[in-house]
């Protein structure tokens, strides 16, 4: 399991990882996208 975490850490520090993280942050800051994510999480929680 620690090998997976190391790969994630390396990716996050890479230029591509930084771009991806920035894109996710911008998307998460959008109120419409945030509402879509909350709706999806709500659906996933009720299925259990």
């Amino acid at each position: 399991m620690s090998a997976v975490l190391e790969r994630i850490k390396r990716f996050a520090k890479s230029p591509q990882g930084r771009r991806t993280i920035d894109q996710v942050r911008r998307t998460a800051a959008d109120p419409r996208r945030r509402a879509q994510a909350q709706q999806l999480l709500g659906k996933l929680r009720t299925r259990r």
Side-chain angles (χ1 to χ4, degrees):
M1 188 63 151
S2 64
V4 173
L5 292 177
E6 286 300 318
R7 290 182 70 187
I8 292 170
K9 286 180 188 179
R10 260 188 285 138
F11 176 74
K13 291 180 182 179
S14 72
Q16 183 182 2
R18 288 191 203 114
R19 280 193 302 271
T20 303
I21 291 169
D22 288 339
Q23 181 182 5
V24 168
R25 284 186 179 149
R26 281 194 308 272
T27 303
D30 182 13
R32 190 180 58 169
R33 293 284 187 193
R34 186 177 290 225
Q36 286 176 342
Q38 290 293 332
Q39 189 177 33
L40 177 62
L41 285 174
K43 286 181 183 179
L44 291 174
R45 287 182 182 143
T46 58
R47 289 186 179 184
R48 290 183 180 194

